[in-house]
Amino acid sequence: MKAGQANRNDRKPFGSGTAFTIAIDGPAAAGKGSISRAIAAHYGLAHLDTGLLYRAVGAQVLSGSDPLRAAENLTVDDLQADGLRSAEVSQAAADVAVMPEVRAELLEFQRRFARWEGGAVLDGRDIGTVIVPQAEVKLFVTANADVRADRRFKELVASGAETTFEQVLQDVIARDARDSSRATAPMAAAEDAVLIDTSELSLSAAIAQAIAAIDKDFPDEKS
Ligand code: C5P
């Protein structure tokens, strides 16, 4: 990813000992995106949805690009492209996410974002295990596959996509398997991650659990 394109590159990194990173990992449609945005707003932190990096590379591969070239030339503007949430791009993202060279290319951007001034929330699959294992707070947000498929199905139908619950469930299960079994940076909870199971939680209850976990470690001057 082009270093000069980092949207926070005009800001100074934290001084030593003052960086604060919240790493939020978990499978698709567990609620980590909504929780991450809410947490970032609550604490006034920057937020990076790292899935968008893989989605943007996947979308470019669907248009005929070479995966590594696409990752090397990725810009922040590419993360705003239309259609990045489609089922086709989701699959393409999971396909490029197994490629070690693509992951290596995207790693430095994520690390720099994580340690920049003001603190940051990053959500993805390998944030607490590979990208920022020293993150001050790690959450692993999950839910059972039926609940996640139901959420994703409703989102897709609302956006006008034609699909069935069964199809979405199969996609969720296949993507989980792929993300958890890949050799490089598989989806996994860090040993010291706080687990939040949203299967039976409302979004506001899940956010409250996340805030309770973060508050324990959040620096005083920021709370
Ligand atoms: O989170 P989201 O569903 O947008 O991610 C799309 C895909 O990108 C995931 O299925 C996964 O394969 C990949 N990904 C990843 N590591 C991350 C974030 C996403 O491998 N940190």
Short mmCIF file of all heavy atoms in Angstrom, two decimals, residues 11-51:
data_model
loop_
_atom_site.label_atom_id
_atom_site.label_comp_id
_atom_site.label_asym_id
_atom_site.label_seq_id
_atom_site.Cartn_x
_atom_site.Cartn_y
_atom_site.Cartn_z
N ARG A 11 0.05 13.35 10.73
CA ARG A 11 0.01 13.41 12.19
C ARG A 11 1.24 12.74 12.77
O ARG A 11 1.78 11.83 12.18
CB ARG A 11 -1.26 12.73 12.68
CG ARG A 11 -2.51 13.34 12.07
CD ARG A 11 -3.75 12.66 12.55
NE ARG A 11 -3.98 12.95 13.96
CZ ARG A 11 -4.96 12.37 14.64
NH1 ARG A 11 -5.75 11.51 14.07
NH2 ARG A 11 -5.15 12.67 15.89
N LYS A 12 1.64 13.19 13.94
CA LYS A 12 2.85 12.64 14.55
C LYS A 12 2.51 11.36 15.31
O LYS A 12 1.45 11.26 15.92
CB LYS A 12 3.42 13.64 15.54
CG LYS A 12 3.94 14.90 14.91
CD LYS A 12 4.77 15.65 15.96
CE LYS A 12 5.08 17.06 15.50
NZ LYS A 12 4.01 17.99 15.82
N PRO A 13 3.46 10.38 15.31
CA PRO A 13 3.21 9.19 16.12
C PRO A 13 3.20 9.56 17.60
O PRO A 13 3.78 10.56 18.00
CB PRO A 13 4.40 8.28 15.81
CG PRO A 13 5.17 8.93 14.73
CD PRO A 13 4.74 10.35 14.63
N PHE A 14 2.55 8.75 18.40
CA PHE A 14 2.62 8.91 19.85
C PHE A 14 4.07 8.92 20.30
O PHE A 14 4.91 8.24 19.71
CB PHE A 14 2.00 7.68 20.53
CG PHE A 14 0.55 7.81 20.85
CD1 PHE A 14 -0.37 6.96 20.26
CD2 PHE A 14 0.11 8.74 21.77
CE1 PHE A 14 -1.70 7.04 20.59
CE2 PHE A 14 -1.23 8.82 22.10
CZ PHE A 14 -2.13 7.98 21.51
N GLY A 15 4.36 9.61 21.38
CA GLY A 15 5.67 9.47 22.00
C GLY A 15 5.74 8.10 22.65
O GLY A 15 4.72 7.42 22.76
N SER A 16 6.93 7.68 23.12
CA SER A 16 7.04 6.33 23.65
C SER A 16 6.12 6.16 24.85
O SER A 16 6.02 7.05 25.70
CB SER A 16 8.48 6.02 24.03
OG SER A 16 8.89 6.93 24.99
N GLY A 17 5.46 5.05 24.90
CA GLY A 17 4.62 4.73 26.04
C GLY A 17 3.23 5.35 26.00
O GLY A 17 2.43 5.12 26.91
N THR A 18 2.91 6.15 25.00
CA THR A 18 1.59 6.79 25.02
C THR A 18 0.65 6.31 23.92
O THR A 18 -0.47 6.76 23.83
CB THR A 18 1.72 8.32 24.90
OG1 THR A 18 2.54 8.61 23.78
CG2 THR A 18 2.27 8.94 26.15
N ALA A 19 1.10 5.40 23.05
CA ALA A 19 0.20 4.88 22.02
C ALA A 19 -0.90 4.07 22.69
O ALA A 19 -0.70 3.47 23.74
CB ALA A 19 0.98 4.01 21.05
N PHE A 20 -2.08 4.08 22.07
CA PHE A 20 -3.17 3.27 22.61
C PHE A 20 -3.92 2.65 21.44
O PHE A 20 -4.53 3.37 20.65
CB PHE A 20 -4.11 4.10 23.48
CG PHE A 20 -5.02 3.24 24.31
CD1 PHE A 20 -4.61 2.80 25.56
CD2 PHE A 20 -6.25 2.85 23.83
CE1 PHE A 20 -5.44 1.98 26.33
CE2 PHE A 20 -7.08 2.02 24.59
CZ PHE A 20 -6.67 1.59 25.85
N THR A 21 -3.84 1.35 21.34
CA THR A 21 -4.48 0.66 20.21
C THR A 21 -5.50 -0.34 20.73
O THR A 21 -5.22 -1.10 21.66
CB THR A 21 -3.43 -0.11 19.38
OG1 THR A 21 -2.36 0.76 19.06
CG2 THR A 21 -4.04 -0.66 18.10
N ILE A 22 -6.66 -0.31 20.10
CA ILE A 22 -7.69 -1.30 20.41
C ILE A 22 -7.81 -2.21 19.19
O ILE A 22 -8.11 -1.74 18.09
CB ILE A 22 -9.04 -0.62 20.73
CG1 ILE A 22 -8.87 0.32 21.93
CG2 ILE A 22 -10.12 -1.67 20.99
CD1 ILE A 22 -10.11 1.16 22.25
N ALA A 23 -7.53 -3.48 19.39
CA ALA A 23 -7.59 -4.47 18.31
C ALA A 23 -8.90 -5.26 18.44
O ALA A 23 -9.17 -5.82 19.51
CB ALA A 23 -6.41 -5.41 18.41
N ILE A 24 -9.70 -5.27 17.38
CA ILE A 24 -10.98 -5.97 17.44
C ILE A 24 -11.03 -6.99 16.30
O ILE A 24 -11.05 -6.62 15.13
CB ILE A 24 -12.17 -4.99 17.35
CG1 ILE A 24 -12.04 -3.92 18.44
CG2 ILE A 24 -13.49 -5.75 17.47
CD1 ILE A 24 -13.24 -3.00 18.60
N ASP A 25 -11.00 -8.25 16.65
CA ASP A 25 -11.04 -9.31 15.64
C ASP A 25 -12.31 -10.12 15.76
O ASP A 25 -13.01 -10.07 16.78
CB ASP A 25 -9.81 -10.22 15.81
CG ASP A 25 -8.53 -9.50 15.45
OD1 ASP A 25 -8.42 -9.01 14.31
OD2 ASP A 25 -7.63 -9.42 16.32
N GLY A 26 -12.57 -10.91 14.71
CA GLY A 26 -13.72 -11.81 14.75
C GLY A 26 -14.21 -12.11 13.35
O GLY A 26 -13.77 -11.49 12.38
N PRO A 27 -15.14 -13.06 13.24
CA PRO A 27 -15.63 -13.47 11.92
C PRO A 27 -16.61 -12.46 11.34
O PRO A 27 -17.04 -11.52 12.02
CB PRO A 27 -16.34 -14.79 12.23
CG PRO A 27 -16.78 -14.67 13.65
CD PRO A 27 -15.73 -13.85 14.34
N ALA A 28 -16.97 -12.68 10.07
CA ALA A 28 -17.89 -11.78 9.36
C ALA A 28 -19.24 -11.71 10.08
O ALA A 28 -19.74 -12.72 10.59
CB ALA A 28 -18.11 -12.30 7.94
N ALA A 29 -19.80 -10.50 10.10
CA ALA A 29 -21.16 -10.25 10.58
C ALA A 29 -21.37 -10.57 12.07
O ALA A 29 -22.49 -10.80 12.51
CB ALA A 29 -22.20 -10.99 9.72
N ALA A 30 -20.27 -10.57 12.83
CA ALA A 30 -20.41 -10.77 14.28
C ALA A 30 -20.75 -9.45 14.96
O ALA A 30 -21.09 -9.43 16.14
CB ALA A 30 -19.12 -11.34 14.86
N GLY A 31 -20.59 -8.36 14.23
CA GLY A 31 -20.89 -7.03 14.79
C GLY A 31 -19.64 -6.22 15.06
O GLY A 31 -19.73 -5.12 15.60
N LYS A 32 -18.47 -6.71 14.67
CA LYS A 32 -17.25 -5.99 15.04
C LYS A 32 -17.13 -4.64 14.35
O LYS A 32 -16.57 -3.71 14.93
CB LYS A 32 -15.99 -6.84 14.84
CG LYS A 32 -15.68 -7.20 13.43
CD LYS A 32 -14.48 -8.12 13.37
CE LYS A 32 -14.03 -8.35 11.92
NZ LYS A 32 -15.12 -8.74 11.00
N GLY A 33 -17.68 -4.51 13.15
CA GLY A 33 -17.62 -3.22 12.45
C GLY A 33 -18.43 -2.17 13.19
O GLY A 33 -17.92 -1.07 13.48
N SER A 34 -19.67 -2.51 13.55
CA SER A 34 -20.53 -1.54 14.27
C SER A 34 -19.94 -1.23 15.64
O SER A 34 -19.95 -0.08 16.09
CB SER A 34 -21.94 -2.12 14.46
OG SER A 34 -22.46 -2.52 13.23
N ILE A 35 -19.43 -2.27 16.31
CA ILE A 35 -18.85 -2.05 17.64
C ILE A 35 -17.61 -1.16 17.51
O ILE A 35 -17.42 -0.22 18.28
CB ILE A 35 -18.51 -3.39 18.32
CG1 ILE A 35 -19.81 -4.15 18.62
CG2 ILE A 35 -17.68 -3.19 19.59
CD1 ILE A 35 -19.62 -5.58 19.11
N SER A 36 -16.78 -1.43 16.51
CA SER A 36 -15.55 -0.65 16.33
C SER A 36 -15.86 0.82 16.07
O SER A 36 -15.20 1.71 16.63
CB SER A 36 -14.73 -1.19 15.15
OG SER A 36 -14.39 -2.53 15.39
N ARG A 37 -16.84 1.08 15.21
CA ARG A 37 -17.19 2.48 14.92
C ARG A 37 -17.70 3.18 16.19
O ARG A 37 -17.34 4.33 16.47
CB ARG A 37 -18.25 2.55 13.82
CG ARG A 37 -17.66 2.35 12.42
CD ARG A 37 -18.69 2.64 11.34
NE ARG A 37 -19.81 1.71 11.37
CZ ARG A 37 -19.81 0.50 10.80
NH1 ARG A 37 -18.73 0.10 10.14
NH2 ARG A 37 -20.85 -0.28 10.88
N ALA A 38 -18.52 2.46 16.95
CA ALA A 38 -19.06 3.06 18.18
C ALA A 38 -17.96 3.33 19.20
O ALA A 38 -17.94 4.38 19.86
CB ALA A 38 -20.13 2.13 18.78
N ILE A 39 -17.03 2.39 19.31
CA ILE A 39 -15.91 2.54 20.25
C ILE A 39 -15.02 3.72 19.84
O ILE A 39 -14.60 4.52 20.68
CB ILE A 39 -15.06 1.23 20.25
CG1 ILE A 39 -15.84 0.07 20.84
CG2 ILE A 39 -13.73 1.41 20.95
CD1 ILE A 39 -16.33 0.33 22.21
N ALA A 40 -14.75 3.80 18.54
CA ALA A 40 -13.89 4.90 18.05
C ALA A 40 -14.55 6.24 18.35
O ALA A 40 -13.89 7.18 18.82
CB ALA A 40 -13.65 4.73 16.55
N ALA A 41 -15.87 6.33 18.14
CA ALA A 41 -16.58 7.58 18.41
C ALA A 41 -16.59 7.87 19.92
O ALA A 41 -16.34 9.00 20.35
CB ALA A 41 -18.01 7.50 17.87
N HIS A 42 -16.81 6.84 20.70
CA HIS A 42 -16.90 7.02 22.16
C HIS A 42 -15.59 7.57 22.74
O HIS A 42 -15.60 8.45 23.61
CB HIS A 42 -17.24 5.68 22.81
CG HIS A 42 -17.36 5.72 24.30
ND1 HIS A 42 -18.52 6.11 24.94
CD2 HIS A 42 -16.47 5.44 25.29
CE1 HIS A 42 -18.34 6.06 26.25
NE2 HIS A 42 -17.11 5.65 26.50
N TYR A 43 -14.46 7.01 22.30
CA TYR A 43 -13.16 7.41 22.87
C TYR A 43 -12.44 8.47 22.02
O TYR A 43 -11.34 8.88 22.37
CB TYR A 43 -12.25 6.19 23.03
CG TYR A 43 -12.75 5.22 24.09
CD1 TYR A 43 -13.43 4.06 23.73
CD2 TYR A 43 -12.54 5.46 25.45
CE1 TYR A 43 -13.90 3.16 24.69
CE2 TYR A 43 -13.00 4.57 26.41
CZ TYR A 43 -13.67 3.43 26.03
OH TYR A 43 -14.13 2.56 26.98
N GLY A 44 -13.03 8.85 20.89
CA GLY A 44 -12.38 9.83 20.03
C GLY A 44 -11.13 9.29 19.35
O GLY A 44 -10.11 9.98 19.22
N LEU A 45 -11.18 8.05 18.92
CA LEU A 45 -10.03 7.41 18.27
C LEU A 45 -10.28 7.26 16.77
O LEU A 45 -11.43 7.21 16.32
CB LEU A 45 -9.80 6.01 18.86
CG LEU A 45 -9.64 5.93 20.38
CD1 LEU A 45 -9.52 4.48 20.82
CD2 LEU A 45 -8.43 6.71 20.82
N ALA A 46 -9.21 7.16 16.00
CA ALA A 46 -9.34 6.87 14.58
C ALA A 46 -9.73 5.40 14.41
O ALA A 46 -9.43 4.57 15.28
CB ALA A 46 -8.03 7.13 13.87
N HIS A 47 -10.38 5.09 13.31
CA HIS A 47 -10.82 3.71 13.08
C HIS A 47 -10.41 3.24 11.69
O HIS A 47 -10.59 3.96 10.73
CB HIS A 47 -12.35 3.63 13.22
CG HIS A 47 -12.92 2.31 12.80
ND1 HIS A 47 -14.02 2.19 11.99
CD2 HIS A 47 -12.51 1.03 13.05
CE1 HIS A 47 -14.28 0.92 11.77
NE2 HIS A 47 -13.38 0.20 12.40
N LEU A 48 -9.86 2.03 11.63
CA LEU A 48 -9.57 1.41 10.33
C LEU A 48 -10.24 0.05 10.25
O LEU A 48 -9.98 -0.83 11.07
CB LEU A 48 -8.05 1.24 10.14
CG LEU A 48 -7.62 0.59 8.81
CD1 LEU A 48 -8.01 1.47 7.62
CD2 LEU A 48 -6.11 0.33 8.80
N ASP A 49 -11.14 -0.08 9.27
CA ASP A 49 -11.77 -1.37 8.96
C ASP A 49 -10.81 -2.08 8.00
O ASP A 49 -10.78 -1.79 6.81
CB ASP A 49 -13.12 -1.10 8.30
CG ASP A 49 -13.76 -2.34 7.70
OD1 ASP A 49 -13.16 -3.42 7.74
OD2 ASP A 49 -14.88 -2.20 7.16
N THR A 50 -9.99 -2.99 8.53
CA THR A 50 -8.93 -3.57 7.70
C THR A 50 -9.49 -4.51 6.64
O THR A 50 -8.82 -4.80 5.66
CB THR A 50 -7.88 -4.31 8.56
OG1 THR A 50 -8.50 -5.43 9.20
CG2 THR A 50 -7.26 -3.39 9.59
N GLY A 51 -10.73 -5.00 6.83
CA GLY A 51 -11.34 -5.82 5.79
C GLY A 51 -11.45 -5.07 4.47
O GLY A 51 -11.38 -5.67 3.39
#
